[in-house]
């Protein structure tokens, strides 16, 4: 009897949640084609890199990772190495010049063709490069291999129309395109039937969802529709753009019981001069007013953000304005970035690029301030009972479970694996910079203490 072993694939993802979701789609398609997942690149017949080019750092890491595989390709020339996503969309065949051992190069819009391109590469000795300028299929119409059974990402828009002057996203993802409300609701209903209880709506600027289809934003209406789907317990969304976060949306978040009290609202910089040069379309004052409104209307809300230092022309005074926003808003968490010029964007051509040492110094100041604020804000949760969706066994300590509060804070607590995929009440005992520690509550009492814990697996 001849047993045919199925070929294996390995996907490495760089960048944002949209990319992670695209990788799930790639995995779903390859699975459908008969491939099986491999645990490492070394064990795979097809290795896919799903790339990011938002910052220079992600780009450098990608080439580092791809070049490590040169020797593997020499040993096993039939291994297929594919590089896809944002980097090839922007730089095209340059990827092949920098990494000639790559077999397939494909753009962000070519995702549905990946299986076909791999089949072609298996037959062909010369590399294949396919980059379409625009979208033909909304990626969500493709199969998906989700990492978690009970959580799912759902893209509601792809692309971006904002053209912030530092950002490559509009060039690599194209113009903002929304999916019709009924398609999104249908997908979420299907996911709910498969056991998904938490969905995260994805888009570069979810607040403007629907403008291309309906003439005005229908994001609030979408939230209200999804809130009606019975099995869904939690609805999250990212990213919100301050210029489009309307009262209507804030009210929908406040009123829909399943929509989590968490808004990720990047502010990037505090100085009006820099915000203008970034083309962000709001002022520091407007940003402060929106966050004030959010806190008034949505009790217990957590606000997180993205902040960038070292944009061209940023003076010490400009940077102080950024720190001032951090002090005033008191973000629960912030993703902090050092500006890196991206070829082809207007900011890369601006004079007054900031020296690396100054950028680094500002970055360190910002991070230390935000870390202090994060810890102070998390400490306020000590003693409170919060709802946690249990996600997994903690990576660091197998006796602990890990989950997230509705406000998106990570909580570790002792408990049985059986709780995974369930929503439990947890009393917070300790706050740490990146997580909280707590204990599960049963009927108003703490069920277990870490010291008395016996794990039932
Ligand atoms: N659409 C989202 C963000 C997408 S990119 C928004 O508008 O907020 C994610 C983050 O990367 C941005 O918020 C920004 O802080 C950072 N970023 C984007 N381009 C960058 C660049 N050239 N250098 C450094 N950070 C950058
Ligand atoms: Fe980039 Fe600005 Fe669009 Fe966000 S809103 S993806 S930062 S251009």
């Amino acid at each position: 009897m001849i047993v045919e072993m199925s070929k294996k694939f390995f996907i490495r993802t760089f960048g944002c949640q949209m990319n992670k979701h695209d990788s799930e789609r790639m995995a779903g398609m390859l699975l459908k084609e008969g491939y099986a997942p491999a645990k490492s690149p070394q064990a795979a017949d097809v290795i896919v890199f799903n790339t990011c080019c938002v910052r220079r750092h992600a780009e450098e890491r990608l080439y580092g990772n791809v070049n490590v595989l040169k020797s593997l390709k020499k040993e096993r020339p039939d291994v297929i190495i594919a590089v896809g996503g944002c980097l090839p969309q922007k730089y095209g065949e340059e990827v092949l010049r920098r990494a000639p051992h790559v077999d397939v190069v494909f753009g962000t819009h070519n995702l549905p063709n990946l299986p076909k391109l791999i089949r072609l590469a298996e037959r062909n000795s010369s590399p294949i490069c396919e980059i379409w300028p625009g979208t033909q299929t909304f990626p969500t119409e493709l199969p998906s291999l989700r990492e978690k059974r009970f959580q799912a990402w759902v893209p509601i828009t792809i692309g971006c129309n904002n053209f912030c002057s530092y950002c490559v996203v509009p060039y690599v993802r194209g113009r903002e395109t929304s999916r019709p409300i009924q398609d999104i609701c249908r997908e979420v209903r299907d996911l709910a039937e498969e056991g998904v209880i938490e969905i995260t709506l994805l888009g570069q600027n979810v607040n403007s969802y629907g403008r291309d289809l309906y003439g005005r934003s229908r994001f609030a209406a979408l939230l209200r529709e999804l809130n009606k789907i019975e099995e869904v317990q939690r609805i999250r969304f990212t990213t919100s753009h301050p210029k489009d976060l309307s009262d209507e949306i804030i009210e929908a978040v406040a009123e829909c019981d399943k929509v989590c009290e968490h808004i990720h609202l990047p502010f990037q910089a505090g100085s009006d001069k820099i915000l203008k040069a970034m083309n962000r379309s709001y002022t520091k004052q407007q940003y402060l007013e929106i966050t004030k409104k959010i806190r008034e209307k949505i009790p217990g809300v957590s606000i997180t953000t993205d902040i960038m230092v070292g944009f061209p022309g940023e003076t010490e005074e400009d940077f102080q304005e950024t720190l001032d926003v951090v002090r005033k808003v008191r973000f629960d968490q912030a993703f902090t970035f050092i500006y890196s010029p991206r070829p082809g964007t207007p900011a890369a051509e601006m004079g007054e690029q900031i020296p690396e040492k100054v950028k680094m110094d500002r970055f360190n100041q910002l991070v230390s301030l935000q870390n202090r604020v994060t810890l102070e804000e998390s400490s306020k949760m000590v003693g409170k009972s919060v709802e946690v969706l249990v996600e997994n066994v903690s990576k660091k300590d197998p006796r602990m479970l890990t989950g997230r509060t509705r406000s998106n804070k990570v909580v570790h607590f002792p408990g049985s694996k059986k709780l995974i995929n369930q929503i439990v009440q947890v009393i917070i005992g300790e706050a740490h910079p990146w997580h909280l520690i707590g204990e599960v509550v049963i009927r108003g009492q703490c069920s277990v203490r870490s010291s008395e814990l016996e794990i039932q697996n």
Side-chain angles (χ1 to χ4, degrees), residues 1-5:
M1 193 173 71
I2 301 169
V3 180
E4 204 177 302
M5 296 280 283

Side-chain angles (χ1 to χ4, degrees), residues 54 159-171 173 176 203-205 239-244 266 268 278-280 306 308:
V54 162
C160 183
N161 289 350
N162 292 315
F163 287 94
C164 300
S165 61
Y166 50 81
C167 184
V168 291
V169 171
Y171 307 94
R173 289 281 180 173
E176 185 176 278
Q204 294 300 343
N205 173 6
T239 299
S240 285
H241 194 303
K243 80 179 168 66
D244 293 312
Q268 312 297 0
M278 285 179 164
N279 194 28
R280 286 293 289 180
D306 291 352
M308 202 189 299

Side-chain angles (χ1 to χ4, degrees), residues 16 53-56 160 162 164-169 203-205 239-242 264-268 280 282 305-309 335-342 345 347:
C16 63
C53 61
V54 162
R55 286 170 295 277
R56 193 170 50 207
C160 183
N162 292 315
C164 300
S165 61
Y166 50 81
C167 184
V168 291
V169 171
Q204 294 300 343
N205 173 6
T239 299
S240 285
H241 194 303
H264 183 64
L265 194 68
F267 83 94
Q268 312 297 0
R280 286 293 289 180
Y282 53 85
T305 199
D306 291 352
I307 314 169
M308 202 189 299
V309 298
F335 297 98
T336 43
F337 302 105
I338 298 174
Y339 166 76
S340 58
R342 304 283 63 212
T345 60

